[in-house]
């Protein structure tokens, strides 16, 4: 057997590991596009040509991928044996004891599911009907006219990421000339998602390091300068990584310029209920845009607010101006999903449908969410106090309190973030983001020492 394989290898020149297979369907519909971001020019996507001999892998031309900037941090954390280590990398909620947390309402919903003896048949391509109904209602409000008029195309997705990816595939197929606009900075995976879906993107200004706040004028100017009909990716609440959200007045003005430019808003809602503790307050931006009559896209995730990280449960919602357009959009989203993953997993969808659809469980969930959001607010406050008390330089740390959601954007640059890990065993992303959801009150002082040391002693 081995010698047969060897002779095949010897007698054939296998040309390449080709990383960018083109789907004939996509090629037909979408014109070849230029990508104006560096990833596409990088080594990882180079075509590799080589002759293969015995003992040389057919995959020799496959280069090593870099670790993921967020999930790679957890891998490095697991490998660290120091007792002081602290994982503030990934945005995942931990208890005060720094243990993962399964919500009580989730346990109750799962118990119900077991008692009912639910089966494991395939779901329809669009997902569980009961889930799709409640997820759209949760987002827009059950009495919203877009729901009453059947103008929302909702498809269950593989959590937030999968839903964003499906929407990006839809944009590529139906708006081949459109560009996506993403905030600078943004959640790192947004760029990967648009890159892999071949949707060109560029950034709009968002964060102003001088004020450690929103660069509102820059944001508006960049959205204005983008080609008409671009897809503007907006974080519904609790902007990741900065924790800085526009005010209601600013949202109005953002809506004005998007309207003026005929852009299409594309919301990423990964933290509904987790930012303020209120599901309705955190849906403010999306509902404002809906009220103003936009057609828009919204990706939802239940990773954080229901702690269903590994269940991969979320949705993509497309609000259309007519129910007829909604039906057609939904049919095409299903058509995209079918060859990608066929149909979504059922477990998380049933949990959400049970929790959101049952008034008792729903109320209990809101209380648990308030507790989680409250714990994060408490560590945020304690961290600010520790930083202010311990740092004698007079630096103003109040930005920690102004930020909202799971994260704090510390302003530490890469070398300082590296120092946090190398010296202090504190794991965080290299953009200076720390997940407060992975912090306990008792670790705040240690973290404050580490931040002060890194900030003042590393250039
Ligand atoms: N959008 C945003 C803004 C976001 O922060 C995340 C996850 C997602 C979408 C997707 O989550 P999903 O589990 O696919 O529903 N963010 C955290 C985890 C990650 O990077 O995957 C994080 O930033 O740490």
């Amino acid at each position: 057997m081995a010698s047969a394989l060897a002779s095949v290898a010897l007698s054939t020149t296998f040309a390449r590991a080709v990383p960018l297979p083109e789907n004939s369907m996509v090629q037909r519909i979408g014109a070849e596009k230029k990508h104006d971001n560096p990833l596409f020019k990088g080594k990882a996507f180079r075509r590799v040509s080589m002759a293969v001999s015995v003992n040389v892998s057919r995959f020799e031309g496959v280069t090593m991928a870099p670790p993921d900037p967020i999930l790679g941090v957890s891998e490095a954390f697991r490998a660290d044996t120091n007792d002081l280590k602290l994982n503030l990398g990934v945005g995942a909620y931990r208890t005060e004891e720094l243990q993962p947390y399964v919500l009580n309402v989730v346990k109750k919903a799962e118990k119900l599911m077991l008692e009912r003896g639910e089966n494991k048949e395939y779901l329809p391509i669009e997902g569980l009907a009961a889930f799709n109904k409640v997820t759209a209602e949760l987002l827009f409000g059950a009495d919203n006219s877009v729901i009453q008029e059947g103008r929302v195309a909702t498809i269950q997705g593989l959590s937030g990421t999968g839903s964003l990816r499906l929407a990006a595939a839809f944009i590529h197929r139906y708006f081949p000339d459109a560009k996506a606009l993403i905030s600078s900075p943004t959640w790192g995976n947004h760029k990967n998602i648009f890159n892999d879906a071949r949707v060109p993107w560029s950034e709009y200004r968002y964060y102003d390091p001088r004020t450690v706040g929103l660069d509102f004028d820059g944001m508006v100017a960049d959205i204005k300068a983008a080609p008409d009909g671009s897809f503007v990716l907006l974080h519904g609440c609790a902007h990741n990584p900065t924790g800085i959200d526009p005010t209601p007045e600013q949202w109005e003005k953002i809506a004005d310029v998007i309207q003026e430019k005929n852009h299409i808003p594309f919301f990423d809602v990964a933290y509904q209920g987790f930012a303020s503790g209120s599901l309705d307050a955190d849906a403010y931006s999306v509902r404002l845009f809906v009220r103003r009559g936009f057609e828009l896209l919204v990706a939802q995730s239940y990773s954080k607010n229901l702690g269903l990280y590994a269940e991969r449960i979320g949705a993509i919602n497309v609000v259309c101006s007519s129910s007829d357009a909604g039906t057609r959009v939904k049919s095409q989203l299903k058509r995209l999903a079918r060859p990608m993953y066929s149909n979504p997993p059922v477990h998380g969808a049933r949990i959400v449908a049970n929790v959101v659809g049952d008034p008792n469980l729903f109320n209990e969930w809101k209380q648990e969410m308030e507790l989680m959001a409250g714990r994060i607010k408490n560590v945020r406050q304690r961290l600010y106090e520790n930083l202010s008390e311990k740092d004698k330089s007079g630096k103003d740390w109040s930005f920690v309190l102004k930020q909202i959601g799971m994260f704090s954007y510390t302003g530490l640059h890469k070398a300082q973030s590296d120092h946090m890990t190398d010296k202090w065993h504190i794991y965080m992303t290299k953009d200076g983001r720390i997940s407060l959801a992975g912090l306990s009150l008792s670790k705040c002082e240690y973290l404050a020492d580490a931040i002060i040391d890194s900030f003042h002693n590393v250039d």
Side-chain angles (χ1 to χ4, degrees), residues 67-75 87 89-91 187-189 240 429 433:
D68 182 80
I70 298 176
L71 299 185
V73 174
S74 298
E75 287 170 34
N87 187 4
V90 68
W187 177 51
N189 217 15
N240 179 4
T429 53
R433 184 190 86 170

Side-chain angles (χ1 to χ4, degrees), residues 101-135:
Y101 178 58
V102 181
L103 275 76
N104 288 325
V105 282
V106 167
K107 288 184 192 154
K108 286 185 184 172
E110 284 179 324
K111 189 160 168 276
L112 260 175
M113 285 151 62
L114 266 182
E115 281 164 10
R116 287 182 192 153
E118 315 257 29
N119 66 51
K120 303 284 184 192
E121 291 262 307
Y122 288 130
L123 282 182
I125 302 170
E126 71 258 42
L128 187 73
F131 166 79
N132 287 343
K133 179 176 183 300
V134 297
T135 198

Side-chain angles (χ1 to χ4, degrees), residues 70 90-91 159-161 187 240 268 270-271 301 303-304 312 433:
I70 298 176
V90 68
S159 208
T161 307
W187 177 51
N240 179 4
D268 180 356
Y271 300 95
S301 166
S303 290
K304 327 278 172 165
R312 312 310 297 144
R433 184 190 86 170

Side-chain angles (χ1 to χ4, degrees), residues 68-71 89-92 158-164 186-190 193 235 237-241 268-271 299-304 308-310 312-314 406-407 429 433 435:
D68 182 80
I70 298 176
L71 299 185
V90 68
L158 304 184
S159 208
T161 307
S163 304
L164 289 161
T186 192
W187 177 51
N189 217 15
H190 283 148
I193 288 168
H235 297 222
C237 64
H239 182 273
N240 179 4
D268 180 356
V269 176
Y271 300 95
Q300 280 175 289
S301 166
Y302 289 91
S303 290
K304 327 278 172 165
L308 294 177
Y309 307 90
R312 312 310 297 144
I313 178 67
M406 264 192 170
F407 302 108
T429 53
R433 184 190 86 170
S435 168

Side-chain angles (χ1 to χ4, degrees), residues 136-137 140-154 290-295 318-328 330:
E137 289 178 355
F140 301 111
D143 51 0
N144 198 307
S145 60
V146 289
I147 292 192
Q148 308 284 318
E149 293 159 14
R151 293 196 281 118
V152 190
T154 303
V290 167
R291 222 171 26 248
R292 290 194 43 165
F294 282 94
E295 293 192 294
V318 185
V319 174
C320 303
S321 60
S322 71
S323 67
D324 186 44
T327 308
R328 283 181 279 116
K330 185 165 176 170

Side-chain angles (χ1 to χ4, degrees), residues 2-3 5-11 51-57:
S3 64
L5 278 179
S7 67
V8 170
L10 272 172
S11 62
V52 175
S53 59
V54 182
N55 296 334
V56 176
S57 167

